Every structure is written in C-alpha cells, then in structure tokens.
Amino acid sequence: GGARPRVLVVGAGLAGLGAAQRLSSSRAFPHLRLLESTGRAGGRVCSQPFGSEVVEMGAHWIHGPSKENPVFKLASDYGLLDEEAMSEENQQIEVGGHPFLPTVFYSNAGRVLTPELGEGVRNLFSTLLDQTREFLHVPQVSVPSVGEYLRKEIAQQVKEWSDDDETKWLKLAVLNTYFKLECCVCGTDSMDHVALGPFGEYAMLPGLDCTFPGGYGGLPDCMLTSLPKESVVFHKPVTAVRWGGSYREESQEGRTFPVQVECEDGERFLADHVIVTVPLGFLKEHHETFIDPPLPPRKADAIRKLGFGTNNKIFLEFEQPFWPPDCQLIKVVWEDESPLIEAGTDLQAGWFRKLPCFVVLQPPEQYGHVLCGFIAGKESEYMETLSDAEVLTALTDVIRRLAGNPHLAPPKKVLRSQWHSAPYTRGSYSYVAVGSSGNDIDALAQPLPEDAADPWPLQVLFAGEATHRTFYSTTHGALLSGWREADRLLSLYDTSESHQHKPQL
Ligand code: 6YU
C-alpha cells in the first residue's frame, strides 16, 4: 500500500501522447511509461522530408480549427499555426466537412470540363450527402449504406434530366469522382460499406481547415518534449497485455500488479493500469493474442464490425506545372465511369482509376510544383505492393492523359504512404461500417475489467481515434480520447484518496 500507481501507455500517437501529458502533469502518477513500437512519436501524424520541404504522409489538415478543437488549441499555444489560421474570421467559417479549393476538372480524354458542369455536380453531390446525415434517429433505414442511398437518389435524379442533355453521361462520370473522393474521406474501399443510419453522428466543428506551415509533426514533437525524458521508450513493440493477474517483480518482494505487458524483445513491464492506444487496424489483426485473457465478446465484436480502411497519399514533384496558376485542386474524371455502373475489378490494369484528385501544395514558392494525390480502398492497398518506379509510370500515364499531352515530362520525384502495410497501423482510419453503430465505438472504449466492483479497477483502458464516438478518424478525436482515459484514472485516484482520508467507522 501507499505506493503510487504505475501506468503504462502503449502507442505514442496523439492519443497516447495526450494521455501521457495529462497524467504526467499530475503528481499522482510519477511512474509513467510510454511504449512505442516505432522509432518516432506521432503515429499517423507523420511529416516527412520531400526535397527541400516537408510533406504530410498522414494527417493533413486540422478539421474545424476553432476554439472547441483541442488540436487547434494546442497547436496555437505551441505557436505552430500561421496568423490566417488563427484569425477569428477563419474560425467562424462553416465548411460542412468539405473545404472549398479553386478546382479544375480534367478528364482522361484530355479535356478540361466547364466550371459550371463541375460546380453543378458538386452541389448535387453535397446536397445528397447532407441528406445521408439525416437518418441518425430514423428507426428503419430503407438501404443499409451511404453508397446505396446515394445511388438510389442519383438514379431517381437522372430520370428527371432532360433527354437532350448531352452532358448526362459526363455528369455521371463526375459524380463517380465524388464517390471516390468520399471513399478517401471515409477511408473505405466503397461507400457501400459505410453505414447510413449512424453517418450523421460524425461531428463537424466550425473553422476553415488549415495545415501546419512547419509540418503537422511539430505537434507530437512539442508534446513529446513536455514529457519526462526517461518515460518514453521507442522501438518497443508490445506483443501482449496480460490483465487480471497477480504479477510480482522478480527482484522485489511485496507489491503485486494486476497487469503485465510483454514486448517483442522479451522485456516485461508490470503496472496497475495500461492505456492501449494502438490503431483499430492493429487490433483487428492481433486482438485475440494481444489482450489476454481475451476481450469480452461485446468488445471483440465491436473490433470486428467497425470499419478500418485505407487512404494513401502519392506526392509527385514536377519541373513545370501543367495546371493553371490559380488551381489548388485537380479533380480527375474518367469519362466512361458512372456510379450506376459496376467498376472494373482488375487491380493491375486499372488501380490508378480509383484516384479522384490531386491537391496542389501551397504556396508553390515554398513547395515548388508538388501534387498530393489521394487514393483509397483495395486499389490503394494494391498500389502499396508496387515499386516507386511502377507507381511513377502509371501516374505519368494518367497525367499525360489529363493534360492531353503524351510527351509531358514525367514527375521528377515520387513519394507515397503505405498505411495498409504498416505493421503497427494496418490501414488509415476508422469508419462506422454497415452492421455497426456508435454503440460499437463506445463498447471499444469500455475499460477492463467491466465489473466496476472489481478490486483492481481500470486495468486496461482504450484510447485512439477509433474510440471517439463523434470525432473518430481525426487528430482531435485521438487527442480527446487520450485525455478521456487519463481523466478516468485521475478521477479514480481522486476519489480513492478522499475515501482514504475518511474516518474509518
Ligand atoms: C485529421 C486529416 N487525414 C490522412 C491519412 C491518415 C490519417 N487522419 P496513431 O496511429 O497515431 O498512434 C498509435 C501509435 O501506436 C503509433 O505510433 C503506433 O506505432 C503505436 N503502436 C501500434 N501498435 C503498437 C504496439 N504493439 N506496441 C507499441 N506501440 C504500438 N486526421 O484530423 N486531419 O487531415 C487527416 C489523414 C493518410 C493515415 C489521417 C487525419 C487521421 C489521424 O491521423 C488519426 O486519426 C490520428 O492521428 C490517430 O491518432 P491515434 O493516437 O489514435 O493513433 C461523415 C463522415 C465521417 C468520415 N470522417 C471524415 C473525417 C475525415 C478524416 N480525414 C482524414 C483525412 C486526412 C487527409
């Protein structure tokens, strides 16, 4: 008795760093260790050098940078944002999840589509997408997925389009680009996998999405610096979290601990509490052996049912831009495609068709001419298996088609993320898949043991973006989830300390 609790945190992404930061600022937790499998902090916040600049392999924007967004708040406090992002005006802009960038629509036939056509389709798609968020409290939905709902509505709309509208097919092709874009946003292979009922539960904050001028990685770096140096251990993959036990240190007698964490290199750590922040993708693959005794059925079920797909980025640097100077977003339209026609399944022959857009990195004076392509789903996972040279060849061909110039110089450099192959991530971020709901997110977040009367409460706690019911898939969701679990421990000791001081009857 009397000894201060020992706490372990597994994973040094924003959830783990946030939890550790909050715990280390309290004097109740001097025995704190953060175990990270890789050699760096940040997890899916991952800024990497590309030429003379830094690009984001993971999180790109602060979604909804305004007062209630803890990532915005922390980044502002650390001085990591520029003045425009911090302005009151910027914080008040409502974008509804889809920031508007000056866009040019290019087709694979080397055509630039009229802004009117692009704008019209954009409005139609965003109206339909807004409708999909209105089924939250509807007891019975007519179709299970966002994709099926959108297609049903589009099929309906098409009937009303005039017969002599010669752009009908082209509008459908542009709509298909929006489907693929939405797959990137949700981190899924198909919108048919995204559950319709719970879709409206994802919450958006006000503020015009902003980036970090010096790289998103500045945020985890600052957080890391604030932690006691010896508390963070890198290159320490955890292989098993054993709980409900009675573990004793070999050297010491006396104190027993309910939790033992085992690492790949054989090292063991004993603790009273462990906060697990590994990604849902890692849990999907390993939870049966990673947590011992195994998770209660309700939690294991949540891990299986919730969605965790892949979204990757491909950076291309050009000597000269083929896009106009004011263009910040290139949308790629394949003229023969339509959301009402089944897509081809030959990954090797057509994986690159899944890529819906390129963001032009801003400002060009800083970055040069760099495009950041987004690609989600199976095609994205297939892309990960290719070499840089193969990716470059395929995308050079795409770009030449878009530009209508078969001799366009290939990009001089390529860099892409490979989140699905990353052994400690296994994908990009979570979504609420068909067959699951926000209740599964809450079930995943539930600590162990589930019996509140257990003499050893809160042995295993769960944080990470996938455990946040309304902000899943974001950095602020991850940070808030880490704080939530730290607070859970803080309040446990608050109350037990005050109990101890009560006179014994
Ligand atoms: C955001 C954005 N963004 C793009 C891409 C990706 C993500 N996100 P971490 O994985 O960070 O940390 C876990 C750590 O654990 C890690 O370091 C591991 O190495 C370690 N670990 C694992 N196993 C271990 C073991 N066994 N032992 C020890 N350690 C172990 N978020 O706010 N803005 O622009 C993007 C984007 C390509 C991959 C993003 C974005 C998601 C965030 O990056 C992510 O949520 C958090 O960083 C996760 O932090 P964490 O701590 O939980 O895990 C309606 C509708 C709904 C759909 N959603 C719409 C929202 C759009 C989301 N947008 C994302 C878009 C982009 C472009």
Side-chain angles (χ1 to χ4, degrees):
R4 301 296 181 105
R6 275 199 211 170
V7 182
L8 293 171
V9 178
V10 181
L14 288 193
L17 289 167
Q21 202 173 32
R22 184 156 288 197
L23 290 172
S24 70
S25 67
S26 154
R27 295 167 69 194
F29 299 96
H31 306 296
L32 178 70
R33 273 250 177 74
L34 204 164
L35 308 177
E36 165 57 43
S37 53
T38 70
R40 61 170 192 93
R44 282 169 274 172
V45 170
C46 179
S47 308
Q48 254 187 43
F50 185 62
S52 58
E53 274 310 318
V54 158
V55 295
E56 308 297 352
M57 300 294 268
H60 204 106
W61 295 280
I62 301 180
H63 290 308
S66 52
K67 301 235 150 48
E68 299 134 83
N69 186 325
V71 167
F72 174 70
K73 182 79 176 54
L74 203 55
S76 316
D77 291 349
Y78 284 132
L80 299 172
L81 302 178
D82 62 26
E83 263 169 49
E84 193 186 328
M86 299 199 0
S87 69
E88 282 298 326
E89 194 194 342
N90 211 79
Q91 294 181 48
Q92 278 156 15
I93 299 174
E94 299 265 1
V95 290
H98 290 78
F100 176 81
L101 296 172
T103 303
V104 180
F105 290 83
Y106 286 90
S107 91
N108 62 312
R111 290 204 268 181
V112 173
L113 310 189
T114 65
E116 293 73 38
L117 190 128
E119 197 60 3
V121 174
R122 179 185 128 93
N123 290 339
L124 170 59
F125 190 81
S126 84
T127 304
L128 295 180
L129 200 63
D130 285 345
Q131 289 173 16
T132 62
R133 300 201 177 91
E134 283 161 20
F135 292 92
L136 190 50
H137 302 293
V138 176
Q140 208 74 61
V141 286
S142 59
V143 290
S145 72
V146 173
E148 283 154 285
Y149 177 83
L150 291 173
R151 277 191 276 115
K152 196 179 70 170
E153 291 299 308
I154 288 167
Q156 203 56 42
Q157 293 261 341
V158 170
K159 285 188 198 148
E160 288 158 30
W161 292 352
S162 137
D163 273 341
D164 38 55
D165 181 353
E166 284 174 6
T167 60
K168 245 181 178 175
W169 57 279
L170 199 51
K171 285 185 189 159
L172 283 166
V174 178
L175 276 169
N176 205 49
T177 297
Y178 278 98
F179 271 73
K180 292 186 266 188
L181 190 66
E182 208 49 36
C183 285
C184 293
V185 172
C186 295
T188 185
D189 180 49
S190 159
M191 292 308 289
D192 291 5
H193 301 158
V194 180
L196 179 59
F199 195 56
E201 207 162 11
Y202 173 80
M204 289 173 245
L205 296 170
L208 184 63
D209 293 8
C210 66
T211 56
F212 287 68
Y216 222 125
L219 181 62
D221 286 349
C222 286
M223 293 173 81
L224 184 67
T225 309
S226 78
L227 296 175
K229 199 161 181 296
E230 64 289 0
S231 65
V232 188
V233 193
F234 289 107
H235 301 292
K236 215 31 116 176
V238 169
T239 48
V241 172
R242 309 209 193 276
W243 60 288
S246 184
Y247 298 99
R248 229 177 259 270
E249 221 115 74
E250 277 160 32
S251 55
Q252 274 170 287
E253 46 183 272
R255 204 144 120 65
T256 61
F257 297 88
V259 174
Q260 174 174 271
V261 164
E262 294 174 18
C263 300
E264 210 173 85
D265 61 6
E267 193 172 356
R268 284 154 198 228
F269 296 86
L270 306 189
D272 298 288
H273 312 282
V274 54
I275 303 180
V276 173
T277 77
V278 304
L280 177 59
F282 181 89
L283 283 178
K284 277 183 183 283
E285 193 171 50
H286 298 289
H287 75 90
E288 282 167 7
T289 51
F290 189 68
I291 309 277
D292 175 43
L295 293 169
R298 180 69 190 89
K299 280 177 79 77
D301 213 39
I303 289 171
R304 277 189 289 268
K305 288 196 310 202
L306 286 167
F308 196 80
T310 302
N311 180 23
N312 276 308
K313 301 190 183 171
I314 308 175
F315 295 93
L316 300 173
E317 185 178 6
F318 292 84
E319 200 72 61
Q320 291 301 324
F322 65 87
W323 56 93
D326 55 347
C327 166
Q328 294 190 30
L329 185 62
I330 291 170
K331 291 233 169 89
V332 183
V333 178
W334 293 83
E335 294 194 0
D336 57 343
E337 292 181 359
S338 154
L340 306 179
I341 303 170
E342 200 80 46
T345 51
D346 186 342
L347 291 175
Q348 191 185 350
W351 66 269
F352 44 82
R353 279 176 169 252
K354 189 69 170 273
L355 185 153
C357 71
F358 293 100
V359 170
V360 184
L361 295 194
Q362 300 293 324
E365 308 83 65
Q366 182 185 346
Y367 283 98
H369 308 295
V370 178
L371 298 183
C372 170
F374 288 80
I375 181 166
K378 290 205 174 63
E379 292 82 355
S380 189
E381 291 166 11
Y382 177 78
M383 178 278 291
E384 292 188 21
T385 67
L386 302 175
S387 68
D388 279 357
E390 286 169 313
V391 171
L392 190 86
T393 304
L395 289 187
T396 299
D397 184 56
V398 170
I399 299 262
R400 284 176 172 168
R401 289 179 193 226
L402 301 183
N405 174 2
H407 307 295
L408 193 87
K412 49 179 187 176
K413 218 181 308 153
V414 61
L415 176 71
R416 67 335 203 322
S417 61
Q418 291 166 295
W419 289 108
H420 181 72
S421 326
Y424 301 107
T425 316
R426 306 299 278 132
S428 58
Y429 35 87
S430 63
Y431 64 93
V432 181
V434 170
S436 68
S437 75
N439 292 339
D440 291 294
I441 298 179
D442 288 347
L444 181 60
Q446 212 50 46
L448 300 173
E450 288 183 313
D451 179 3
D454 194 288
W456 300 97
L458 305 185
Q459 294 174 34
V460 190
L461 303 97
F462 295 85
E465 56 81 17
T467 69
H468 198 286
R469 183 157 182 156
T470 58
F471 291 142
Y472 58 85
S473 78
T474 65
T475 52
H476 51 285
L479 184 59
L480 285 171
S481 74
W483 287 353
R484 177 192 68 213
E485 297 311 313
D487 285 343
R488 222 192 273 273
L489 284 179
L490 285 164
S491 57
L492 176 71
Y493 286 91
D494 260 5
T495 53
S496 60
E497 267 165 26
S498 58
H499 282 316
Q500 277 167 16
H501 295 300
K502 276 189 192 137
Q504 301 274 308
L505 293 178

